[in-house]
Amino acid sequence: MNTTNSAALFEKACHVIPGGVNSPVRACKSVGCDPLFVAKAQGGTVIDADGNEFIDFVGSWGPMILGHGHPEVIKAIQGALPDGTSFGAPTASEVEMAELVCDSVPSIEKVRFVSSGTEATMSAIRLARGYTGRNMVIKFDGCYHGHADSFLVKAGSGVATLGIPGSPGVPDDIVKNTLSIPYNNIEVLEKTLRDASLDIACVIIEPVAGNMGVIVPDMAFLQKLRDLTAELGIVLIFDEVITGFRLALGGAQERFNIMPDLTCLGKIIGGGLPVGAYGGKKEIMDNIAPDGPVYQAGTLSGNPLAMAAGLAMLKIVRRPGFYKELEEKSDRFAERLAEIGAKAQVPIVLNRIGSMMTCFFTDAPVRDFDSAMQADTDRYGRYFREMLASGFWLAPSQFEALFISAAPHPGTAGQGPCSN
Ligand code: HOZ
């Protein structure tokens, strides 16, 4: 594969951008190669700066559930463009978008838009602290909630991929208010939440972990978490930045029928443009300024182009049959992957729910951060490089998810779900 242009761009980038990339996992360090630079993407295909074509299973780390450049999303952005790109004032489109989100996600009664998933999670814990008057945040080992100070304790995603224990620059005074406990462990959960000395404001969890590879929680664990937090007056936050509008229209909470108090969203709701959101019960959301004293703001929040893209995306995924068709497509893909894995005669555990999955190179079940970390990351690196050479664009880390999109497979004439 000719990668001359990508190599030259990376060389130039390293002089002016730390590590040559604007987000660490993109550097491909853990899979033993340099990054390819993307020139464009269309449907289920990504094309690099040298003209190499790949079938895309990253989908920009989750947002591109329709594939790239869906005509209705592009048309919506083009339609909004002549009217202006930012006003810093309310618009009709953000009201329509808020109505669609409240209507789609069962536990959300009111929603505030921000510009990224990180902003959504950091705002949600501030709100939970303001609402309860308590300080401590409980998270789970290997879950990743963006890069705000409070969350960089035993975090997944790039922090796990690069083997970084935490991060310099995060004051001890902040980290002491975050406690990370094992995912899927009911005993530790109950003991921790019942410890009154901890002054717990909230528990934040990925209701399906996607940042230590995909790990589906035991339903008994998730239900216990809901029951205990309700009993103890602790705010339960679902970080559905990945799972929102991915596992069902109403996200993991709809799929599992377990409702959090607050939900964080991102990725898919922006239709490929930068949008995050946090929402939940009116009683809690009404504490946000200007209605209440918990301050949170943003010049580009509810940006008109991003709202246009998000609205177009949500209107498509809300069409009848969208998630059923995506599920069936993902079933077929996972079956094929399992067959190939069986033939390869290497230890593989495939964790999957809906259109998100991870192939772990290990022979033991992967149900928490410790078991995920047992996976053979060198083997994943070899697998990644061989798949890339064969035309498959995968996440450059064992500790991420593979996403199936609704875009038609390249080379097939068929339409994706609800493409009309
Ligand atoms: N949440 C994504 C990782 N699972 C973000 C990718 C990145 O860090 O760039």
Side-chain angles (χ1 to χ4, degrees):
M1 181 170 45
N2 173 21
T3 57
T4 317
N5 291 339
S6 277
L9 284 167
F10 188 50
E11 216 276 311
K12 276 209 304 197
C14 286
H15 290 290
V16 284
I17 301 174
V21 289
N22 280 314
S23 197
V25 215
R26 296 180 196 174
C28 296
K29 282 192 171 189
S30 79
V31 289
C33 55
D34 288 337
L36 297 183
F37 280 61
V38 174
K40 57 183 172 186
Q42 184 59 47
T45 303
V46 168
I47 301 170
D48 76 5
D50 292 278
N52 301 305
E53 290 195 17
F54 306 90
I55 301 178
D56 182 20
F57 293 105
V58 180
S60 185
W61 305 89
M64 311 316 294
I65 194 168
L66 304 177
H68 298 274
H70 191 286
E72 290 173 58
V73 177
I74 299 296
K75 195 172 158 206
I77 298 170
Q78 285 170 339
L81 193 55
D83 292 336
T85 55
S86 182
F87 314 123
T91 62
S93 62
E94 62 190 359
V95 182
E96 189 183 354
M97 179 81 167
E99 285 171 347
L100 273 193
V101 170
C102 292
D103 190 56
S104 304
V105 185
S107 72
I108 297 188
E109 295 172 347
K110 277 191 173 180
V111 62
R112 170 63 68 82
F113 291 111
V114 291
S115 298
S116 70
T118 292
E119 259 191 271
T121 53
M122 61 185 253
S123 306
I125 62 164
R126 181 182 301 151
L127 174 59
R129 284 170 163 155
Y131 173 71
T132 58
R134 304 179 197 157
N135 271 332
M136 182 68 82
V137 173
I138 306 293
K139 71 175 281 293
F140 294 88
D141 302 346
C143 283
Y144 177 75
H145 305 290
H147 61 89
D149 286 354
S150 304
F151 299 123
L152 293 180
V153 182
K154 291 196 182 172
S157 192
V159 185
T161 301
L162 300 174
I164 298 169
S167 177
V170 177
D172 292 346
D173 263 5
I174 290 187
V175 171
K176 77 171 194 252
N177 287 315
T178 303
L179 186 61
S180 188
I181 60 175
Y183 201 78
N184 262 337
N185 186 321
I186 290 186
E187 291 74 36
V188 176
L189 175 71
E190 176 144 29
K191 190 161 173 280
T192 306
L193 296 200
R194 289 202 183 281
D195 183 345
S197 72
L198 286 177
D199 191 34
I200 300 170
C202 60
V203 178
I204 184 164
I205 188 167
E206 294 178 74
V208 168
N211 287 290
M212 47 180 151
V214 170
I215 296 181
V216 183
D218 299 337
M219 280 312 108
F221 167 76
L222 209 56
Q223 188 61 58
K224 187 74 177 177
L225 173 59
R226 175 63 285 185
D227 294 346
L228 280 169
T229 46
E231 178 193 331
L232 299 165
I234 295 167
V235 175
L236 176 59
I237 306 171
F238 275 6
D239 177 346
E240 297 228 44
V241 169
I242 290 179
T243 54
F245 296 95
R246 161 77 49 192
L247 293 183
L249 182 66
Q253 58 193 264
E254 178 192 316
R255 194 157 174 141
F256 301 151
N257 194 25
I258 297 179
M259 301 303 148
D261 302 306
L262 293 177
T263 300
C264 300
L265 296 166
K267 299 197 190 277
I268 289 174
I269 51 164
L273 269 67
V275 179
Y278 63 108
K281 292 181 174 163
K282 277 190 187 131
E283 181 197 330
I284 304 178
M285 294 299 288
D286 285 343
N287 288 273
I288 301 169
D291 280 352
V294 178
Y295 200 73
Q296 179 273 311
T299 300
L300 291 172
S301 299
N303 173 269
L305 287 190
M307 292 293 108
L311 269 172
M313 182 82 113
L314 295 198
K315 284 177 183 170
I316 296 168
V317 300
R318 281 167 64 91
R319 289 179 188 158
F322 178 85
Y323 287 98
K324 186 168 173 287
E325 285 182 53
L326 185 60
E327 189 83 18
E328 287 165 2
K329 183 179 178 187
S330 306
D331 287 345
R332 292 193 294 277
F333 180 83
E335 277 161 23
R336 188 76 189 105
L337 199 59
E339 277 167 27
I340 295 167
K343 274 197 200 138
Q345 291 189 327
V346 288
I348 290 177
V349 169
L350 180 64
N351 279 6
R352 178 218 160 189
I353 179 165
S355 58
M356 56 190 282
M357 63 194 84
T358 297
C359 217
F360 290 96
F361 290 98
T362 178
D363 50 12
V366 180
R367 54 187 319 279
D368 56 19
F369 194 37
D370 286 349
S371 45
M373 294 306 272
Q374 296 308 311
D376 184 342
T377 50
D378 288 340
R379 179 163 265 162
Y380 184 88
R382 290 202 298 280
Y383 162 73
F384 172 87
R385 294 192 302 272
E386 284 189 21
M387 291 297 278
L388 194 68
S390 309
F392 298 94
W393 188 263
L394 301 179
S397 164
Q398 173 70 94
F399 307 116
E400 298 286 353
L402 177 157
F403 296 108
I404 305 292
S405 82
H409 282 298
T412 66
Q415 296 292 296
C418 300
S419 52
N420 51 336

